[in-house]
Amino acid sequence: MADPGKEAASMHKAATGLWAVGHHTTKPLQEFKSASYDLDALGALGSLLGAKSEIEEGMTTLSELTKQLDDEWEAEAKLIGEISDAFDLLDLLLAAQARAKKG
């Protein structure tokens, strides 16, 4: 069996990394959402193609999907953290059992 302490540390590191994802995506996502309502850069091309509303809708959809991913990653980070805590507890219980057998 793998060392529960090492497994716990590894999972804790993974959970911490997943928690950090949201901090890195918040500002870019807000900027992206803002840009979806300001498509003047398309100029006449956007008007000629009638693409402005479709682009706005696509950008909104991408923003919503990104938020859903962030929520999913946060939930996964929480679960991994709980599993890490379980491995920490298992490690303590195994150590206590080993001490009891010696003593």
Side-chain angles (χ1 to χ4, degrees):
M1 178 179 189
D3 179 10
K6 288 180 182 178
E7 291 294 326
S10 176
M11 291 185 139
H12 178 73
K13 184 177 178 180
T16 301
L18 279 175
W19 279 110
V21 170
H23 299 294
H24 296 293
T25 59
T26 300
K27 184 177 177 186
L29 182 58
Q30 287 173 346
E31 291 171 355
F32 186 78
K33 284 180 182 178
S34 296
S36 70
Y37 298 106
D38 183 23
L39 299 175
D40 293 334
L42 292 174
L45 178 62
S47 298
L48 290 173
L49 297 176
K52 185 175 179 185
S53 63
E54 287 85 5
I55 292 171
E56 287 174 347
E57 186 177 321
M59 291 177 78
T60 300
T61 300
L62 285 172
S63 297
E64 291 168 357
L65 290 172
T66 301
K67 176 64 176 133
Q68 290 173 2
L69 278 173
D70 189 43
D71 291 345
E72 185 176 324
W73 291 330
E74 187 175 313
E76 288 180 16
K78 182 179 177 187
L79 178 62
I80 291 171
E82 290 170 356
I83 293 170
S84 172
D85 292 344
F87 273 117
D88 279 334
L89 181 58
L90 177 61
D91 193 36
L92 289 172
L93 292 172
L94 289 173
Q97 182 183 30
R99 282 192 304 271
K101 285 182 180 179
K102 288 181 183 178

